[in-house]
Every structure is written in structure tokens, then in C-alpha cells.
């Protein structure tokens, strides 16, 4: 049976100034796949809609975010490997420094991961009948899960996003669940500050002149509720290779297996060769492998046209030869555009290519936003991708008799 690799280059789409990074980059491998395969333009979430990365990935993999999007908190928690249960409320969390009640550093001086791990045990606690469970990831970041009866994700965040007092958590809907959740969050905010202020790690940091990690700020609340797995939906065993926690979280949410790759950082220095090797390994046991590369989006947010162009060239040189060597069908696209001139996501379509031994070819010879306008796939939205992937693999099910 044909297998498939779906490569998502985060935020790869751009606007011409006068060229786009995809047009400016030397990328013979992606161009060859465009020449030998079929191309088009993809609006992941809907025509003109500005996608978030999480909603876009869900839609590309066949899940309607309007129905099943759990919010950022649960996806981050899943991405950190935390096990979630129905009804858990999860937040993105980060260590911060407060002085006289004011947040003076939202990232606690980008505390090193080892120090954050040393104090992370103090953040988990029990309040009333609710377990508060914390896990830190890289530097100041982490996720916090509330587990107990009668909770709601409809509460405000405590992160002030500025030099200001930690916000009080407020219920955002009527009823006892949101009130209880807000009460638990506010008690947590108080108790964690006390515990962290007394921590020996923070006393050491103070002596060294480093900002203390003496508060935890919460945002992105969401309730976890499970969805039918990717395998149940499409009959494909799928694996995910991604450096960023959010993408691993989306993949775990829909039941993909996670392959952890040393050196896959989700950052600009990520080891693409290692990711390619891992993709080949994953293909031995899985039908579909999702490979995610984050950095194109990061360069777009920085407005760094040269950096984004170089990153595309690195993907073409370090990752694509391995993916092509696999003999699998290849789908390459982005989850949205992040134009360097806007430094933010935009609703412009992203190019998509589909290549397989039996696939039709069109007259497009280059993989970029402008060339793919003329491609045989035409204009599609996220909901079209999985049926087309199944058809590309020869796994489409007949509709009717
Ligand atoms: Zn994205
Ligand atoms: Zn982004």
C-alpha cells in the first residue's frame, strides 16, 4: 500500500515584495515535485480566513475546529505529554517575576529549563476537590491542568501581558462551574506565589542577581474532550514529527503517535536531517507521517525575508532528499501565510503540491504562491485535503455503489 508524508511548513506563504521567499529560494527538490506532481492553492480554514496554527492543522487533518477545537491550553498540555481526562481544564502557563504585586518580567528572565524543573514540583497542588497539575517545558513555559468535578474553561486569564498586577481570574459565563474555576485559579495564584517565594532555588537566583520565578501566569483556557482518532476516521496509522509542543499536541489530540527527535527544536536551529531520518523510520510502522517545520513562521513574524528564504532552502536541501528517497506519496504545503511585510498571519492562500507515482501532473514547474495559481488542483480549503490524500494513496472509499 502507498504511504504518504504530509509536510507542513508553518507560515510558509508570503506576499511578493517583489518576490516571495518561496520564489526567491533555490529549492530544486520542491520544484521537481511540483513539476512531476500536481499543484494548487490552499485556504486551510476557509477562503480569506486568517488561520491560527492549531485550527489550521486540525482542519488540514480532517477535523472541523468549530466543533472540536479544545482551545490552546489542552493542546499545549497534550504536546508536553500530559495525559488529559474528559472535563479537564487546561491553561498555558509561564513562570514570571513579580515585585510588590506587579509583574516586572513575564518570563522570569527566561529562566533556564533546569531551574524551572527544580521548582516545578511546587506548582502542583490540591485546592478544594481539584487537582492542580503543572508541567514545565522549555525555559519559562509550561501547562497547567485543573482536574475535578464541575469546572469550566469560561474564565479570564491571569496574565496581564504588561508590567501590571496579576489579573484576577473572572468567570466569563453564569453558573457555579465558571465561578468555582475562577475561585480555584485565584487561590492557586496566591498559593503558588507564596510557595515559590520560599523556594531555595529562588533564594539562590536572588543571590546571583537573577529574576526570581515567583509567580505563574495563566492564559488560553480550554476544556478537554476527546475526538474520534485519525485512524478511526481514515483507517491510517499516523505519526507526527514536530519540534513545537503545540503541533505535537494537535497530533496527540487526534491520536497520532509522536516520534521525539533529538535536535528537533521547533526553532530556527532545528535539525532537519534528523527529522528526515525520523520520518523514514516512522514510515516503516505507519501509513502517514506528518512532518512539521516551524521556523518559516518565526522568520515571517520577525519580518526577516532573508531568513525565511534561507530556511526554505535548508528544508529543500536537508529534509526533502530524505522524504523523496522514502518512495512515499508527498504532500507539501503550509498552514497559513505569515508575510514578512505584515509580521503576522494572513488569510492569503498557501501553495500545495501532491506527488505520487500514479498522480496526474500539471504544467506548473515551481513550488510558490504565484506559479501554483495555475495548478491542476485549483483552489481548495482544508476540508478537501484528507479526501485528496486518501485518493493520492489509492485508499479512497467509494461513495455509493
Ligand atoms: Zn502556523
Ligand atoms: Zn505564527
Amino acid at each position: 500500500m502507498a504511504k504518504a508524508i504530509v509536510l507542513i511548513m508553518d507560515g510558509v506563504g508570503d506576499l511578493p515584495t517583489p518576490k516571495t521567499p518561496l520564489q526567491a529560494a533555490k529549492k530544486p527538490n520542491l520544484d521537481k515535485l511540483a513539476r512531476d506532481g500536481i499543484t494548487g492553492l490552499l485556504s486551510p480554514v476557509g477562503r480569506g480566513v486568517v488561520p491560527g496554527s492549531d485550527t489550521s492543522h486540525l482542519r488540514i487533518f480532517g477535523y472541523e475546529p468549530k466543533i472540536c477545537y479544545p482551545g490552546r491550553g489542552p493542546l499545549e498540555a497534550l504536546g508536553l505529554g500530559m495525559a488529559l481526562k474528559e472535563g479537564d481544564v487546561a491553561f498555558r502557563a509561564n513562570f514570571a517575576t513579580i515585585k510588590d504585586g506587579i509583574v516586572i518580567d513575564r518570563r522570569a528572565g527566561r529562566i533556564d529549563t533546569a531551574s524551572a524543573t527544580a521548582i516545578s514540583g511546587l506548582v502542583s497542588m490540591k485546592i478544594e476537590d481539584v487537582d492542580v497539575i503543572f508541567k514545565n517545558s522549555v525555559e519559562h513555559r509550561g501547562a497547567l491542568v485543573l482536574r475535578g468535578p464541575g469546572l469550566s474553561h469560561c474564565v479570564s486569564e491571569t496574565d496581564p501581558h504588561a508590567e501590571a498586577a496579576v489579573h484576577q481570574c473572572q468567570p466569563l459565563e453564569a453558573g457555579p462551574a465558571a465561578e468555582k474555576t475562577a475561585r480555584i485559579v485565584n487561590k492557586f495564584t496566591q498559593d503558588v506565589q507564596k510557595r515559590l517565594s520560599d523556594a531555595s532555588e529562588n533564594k539562590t537566583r536572588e543571590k546571583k542577581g537573577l529574576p526570581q520565578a515567583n509567580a505563574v501566569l495563566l492564559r488560553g483556557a480550554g476544556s478537554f474532550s476527546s475526538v474520534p482518532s485519525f485512524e478511526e476516521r481514515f483507517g491510517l496509522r499516523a505519526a507526527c514529527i514536530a519540534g513545537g509542543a503545540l503541533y505535537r499536541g494537535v497530533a496527540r489530540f487526534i491520536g497520532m503517535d509522536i516520534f521525539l527527535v533529538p535536535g528537533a527544536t521547533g526553532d530556527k536551529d532545528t535539525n532537519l536531517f534528523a527529522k528526515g531520518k525520523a520520518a523514514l523510520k516512522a514510515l516503516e510502522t505507519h501509513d502517514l507521517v506528518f512532518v512539521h517545520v516551524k521556523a518559516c513562521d518565526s522568520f515571517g513574524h520577525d519580518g526577516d525575508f532573508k531568513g525565511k528564504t534561507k530556511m526554505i532552502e535548508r528544508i529543500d536541501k536537508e529534509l526533502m532528499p530524505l522524504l523523496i528517497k522514502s518512495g512515499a506519496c508527498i504532500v507539501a504545503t503550509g498552514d497559513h501565510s505569515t508575510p514578512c511585510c505584515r509580521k503576522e498571519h494572513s488569510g492569503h492562500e498557501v501553495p500545495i503540491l501532491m506527488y505520487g507515482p500514479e498522480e496526474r501532473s500539471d504544467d506548473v514547474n515551481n513550488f510558490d504562491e504565484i506559479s501554483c495559481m495555475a495548478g491542476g488542483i485549483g483552489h481548495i480549503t482544508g476540508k478537501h485535503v484528507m479526501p485528496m490524500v486518501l485518493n493520492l494513496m489509492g485508499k479512497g472509499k467509494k461513495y455509493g455503489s
Side-chain angles (χ1 to χ4, degrees), residues 14 34-35 53 58 77 104 111 139 166 180 184 190 192 203 206 241 244 298 311 314 326 330 344 361 372:
D14 215 296
R35 191 157 58 245
S53 289
L58 280 173
I104 54 168
I111 182 171
E139 296 179 338
V166 179
K180 175 180 176 179
I184 302 274
Q190 272 181 4
V192 84
K203 301 236 152 69
E206 194 175 22
I241 292 162
S298 310
M311 192 67 208
R314 271 192 63 204
S326 74
I330 295 178
E344 243 321 324
S361 181
C372 291

Side-chain angles (χ1 to χ4, degrees), residues 69-183:
Y69 179 56
R72 180 80 183 241
L75 295 175
E76 289 280 344
L78 287 169
L80 298 187
M82 297 174 89
L84 293 186
K85 294 186 175 165
E86 295 287 316
D88 283 355
V89 171
F91 298 83
R92 298 175 80 185
N94 53 280
F95 284 111
T97 308
I98 58 167
K99 199 174 173 206
D100 304 325
I102 301 294
V103 177
I104 54 168
D105 187 334
R106 282 185 65 245
R107 298 181 181 89
R110 286 195 183 273
I111 182 171
D112 63 287
T113 306
S115 304
T117 304
I119 52 172
S120 64
L122 296 169
V123 183
S124 294
M125 58 182 78
K126 181 135 191 162
I127 302 174
E128 298 179 21
D129 56 356
V130 174
D131 289 316
V132 180
I133 309 155
F134 175 77
K135 186 167 181 191
N136 66 305
S137 57
V138 179
E139 296 179 338
H140 52 282
R141 303 182 192 92
L144 188 95
V145 174
L146 305 185
R147 177 170 299 155
L151 297 172
S152 165
H153 68 281
C154 293
V155 293
S156 64
E157 58 186 41
T158 62
D159 187 342
H161 296 278
E163 202 169 312
V166 179
H167 284 179
Q168 280 281 315
C169 181
Q170 307 280 357
L172 297 176
E173 65 176 9
E179 271 172 34
K180 175 180 176 179
T181 310
R183 185 172 74 239

Side-chain angles (χ1 to χ4, degrees), residues 10-11 51 53 247 294 297-298 301 335-338 344-345:
D10 210 290
S53 289
Y247 309 95
K294 171 70 181 165
D297 179 58
S298 310
H301 283 290
D335 59 339
H336 49 78
S337 295
T338 309
E344 243 321 324
H345 299 187

